[in-house]
Amino acid sequence: MTRFRHDLILRMIKLLDAVLVTIPFAMCWYLYYAKRVASPYYANGDYLVVALFFVLFIIFGRVYDAFLMSMQRISEIIYEQFLAAAVSDFIMYVVIWLLSKHLPNILPGVAALVGQVIMASIWAYNAHHAYFKTFPPQATAVIYDTRRGMERLIGKYGLDAKYKVVSTAMAGECIENLSMLDGINTVFLSGIHSHDRNIILKYCVENNITVFVVPRIGDTIMSGAHHMHMFHLPMLRVGRYNPQPEYLLVKRLLDIVISAIALVILSPIFLVTAIAIKATDHGPVFYKQIRLTKDGKEFGILKFRSMRVDAEKDGVARLSSGENDDRITPVGKIIRACRVDELPQLINILKGDLSIVGPRPERPEIAAQYCEEMPEFSLRLQAKAGLTGYAQVYGKYNTTPYDKLTMDLMYIAHPSIVEDFKIMFATVKILFMPESTEGVSEGQTTAMSGENS
């Protein structure tokens, strides 16, 4: 099957999903809300409202990766479809509220959401099974240098049904005999130096082989290069993080507006949490800790205290070892699981210490430890730290510091308000997903100090 036909079939299947999920909303609109808006809509107006939901669901479906039937487990697809539908329904509820000029009954909308989850579940189950019946596993090769174990990660994440690893080799072996890639559909390049990687990349592109590259720090920095012409030559201009003033202004305005609104809406949660912490051990409600932000500037980050008062009585900074850390209080376990302990950082955002989206603010002592092994770690400090960020959303608890650094630099390389919104909405997804507490697998490790960027 040609790649064009493969992509066309996938697009049609995803389009069918959007249509199926839109049906419950359309029924809800036509049978209830359309008759109760201030100026009833007819014909084209009704179509426009339904079309708006359809477009919103596709947008948020992409944000939450809800259409990746071949890359996710069925349960993950259903969860992501639920999030996409729920956010779209909420926006449409606000639209209907504005059209009605009074707060509309939410129950028909809830009923529509239930119907959407049912439709999404039916689609996810059938699309997932149909995909693997229609498309056989792709013959896959893993080429590595400093990072090994990619083939084990493929199996661990359930992707061996899509990528059948038939060959693994060191980069040097592959370069000496590039014909070993003949008949291969997909190649994973893991931790390979740029010279060797480029030779393999050119061969794969020439022979229509799909390539997945685990990037290095240098690759990530180069990805943000500005394309230009100089001396009648193509040129890439690379420099320190320096976004447009308009971007920084809009970003700061969004930080102020969103954090202020969130503080008002979440004030009852603040009150309940404060009472619970105080009642448990009579200690302070908040915990202030020195963190680093743009250009290494220090500030005091605010969090709800989730550990014992004497958690660091020896003065040594330590990362939490996870949910089994015996320093965490009973209330602390609950507020950490719900991410409520992070909410006071909204005050830091309002003050300007933090942004909503940016690299995670690290403690100076721990940052110094990372910099000893990985000097590039300081590159994260080009941008203001954030409450959430690319690495927090797409990484996991056991993602290595090197890989989290790469994710942060990917964000820094492409400053965009659209990307900030995508990360904000994607943060909702991880709020209800427990962080992995597994040890770092061999496939996830990397030589942090010896790896040339």
Side-chain angles (χ1 to χ4, degrees), residues 143-148 150 170-171 188-194 196-197 212-216 219 402 445-447 451-452:
I143 311 300
Y144 59 87
D145 190 348
T146 59
R147 300 183 67 145
R148 303 188 182 191
M150 178 62 70
M170 289 283 291
F188 285 85
L189 302 181
S190 181
I192 301 178
H193 293 273
S194 57
D196 295 345
R197 182 197 60 204
F212 291 94
V213 180
V214 179
R216 302 162 73 89
D219 302 327
Y402 185 90
T445 59
T446 181
E451 189 169 19
N452 295 325

Side-chain angles (χ1 to χ4, degrees), residues 289-293 299 301 345 353-354 358-363 380-381 384-388 392:
Q289 192 178 72
I290 299 301
R291 296 290 180 102
L292 298 178
T293 186
F299 73 100
I301 198 170
Q345 292 175 45
D353 298 327
L354 277 177
R360 182 179 183 272
E362 196 54 83
R363 300 180 67 173
R380 299 169 72 256
L381 301 177
K384 185 184 290 188
L387 174 61
T388 185
Q392 292 97 305

Side-chain angles (χ1 to χ4, degrees), residues 316-443:
V316 178
R318 296 184 182 88
L319 288 172
S320 171
S321 57
E323 61 182 8
N324 296 322
D325 193 323
D326 60 6
R327 298 175 297 166
I328 302 175
T329 65
V331 172
K333 290 183 178 180
I334 297 173
I335 63 176
R336 279 182 171 226
C338 303
R339 313 297 205 276
V340 170
D341 62 317
E342 308 281 354
L343 291 183
Q345 292 175 45
L346 291 169
I347 300 172
N348 290 115
I349 295 172
L350 199 59
K351 289 170 58 181
D353 298 327
L354 277 177
S355 182
I356 293 176
V357 181
R360 182 179 183 272
E362 196 54 83
R363 300 180 67 173
E365 304 90 340
I366 294 173
Q369 293 174 22
Y370 284 146
C371 285
E372 288 181 5
E373 302 177 6
M374 200 169 38
E376 307 95 335
F377 193 79
S378 61
L379 294 176
R380 299 169 72 256
L381 301 177
Q382 295 176 78
K384 185 184 290 188
L387 174 61
T388 185
Y390 195 97
Q392 292 97 305
V393 169
Y394 297 107
K396 287 191 175 182
Y397 186 81
N398 56 3
T399 301
T400 66
Y402 185 90
D403 290 326
K404 286 185 176 180
L405 169 61
T406 304
M407 291 179 181
D408 283 329
L409 292 180
M410 289 174 70
Y411 168 76
I412 290 172
H414 302 279
S416 162
I417 293 297
V418 173
E419 183 66 21
D420 284 356
F421 273 112
K422 284 177 64 178
I423 292 173
M424 288 182 211
F425 283 110
T427 301
V428 178
K429 175 180 174 179
I430 66 169
L431 289 178
F432 306 101
M433 296 176 65
E435 291 181 326
S436 173
T437 56
E438 301 171 4
V440 180
S441 68
E442 184 180 352

Side-chain angles (χ1 to χ4, degrees), residues 237-314:
R237 178 170 59 82
V238 181
R240 192 171 174 81
Y241 174 75
N242 186 30
Q244 296 296 322
E246 296 84 359
Y247 165 75
L248 294 176
L249 176 61
V250 173
K251 186 177 175 70
R252 180 59 186 145
L253 289 175
L254 286 172
D255 285 345
I256 294 172
V257 172
I258 294 175
S259 60
I261 293 174
L263 282 168
V264 173
I265 295 175
L266 298 173
S267 56
I269 297 178
F270 272 72
L271 181 61
V272 171
T273 304
I275 293 172
I277 293 172
K278 198 69 177 178
T280 302
D281 59 8
H282 308 292
V285 170
F286 295 107
Y287 176 62
K288 194 171 184 179
Q289 192 178 72
I290 299 301
R291 296 290 180 102
L292 298 178
T293 186
K294 190 176 187 300
D295 298 326
K297 179 183 177 182
E298 295 185 355
F299 73 100
I301 198 170
L302 281 175
K303 300 179 74 172
F304 280 122
R305 184 173 59 83
S306 60
M307 289 189 173
R308 301 191 311 263
V309 176
D310 62 350
E312 291 182 350
K313 58 185 177 182
D314 56 1

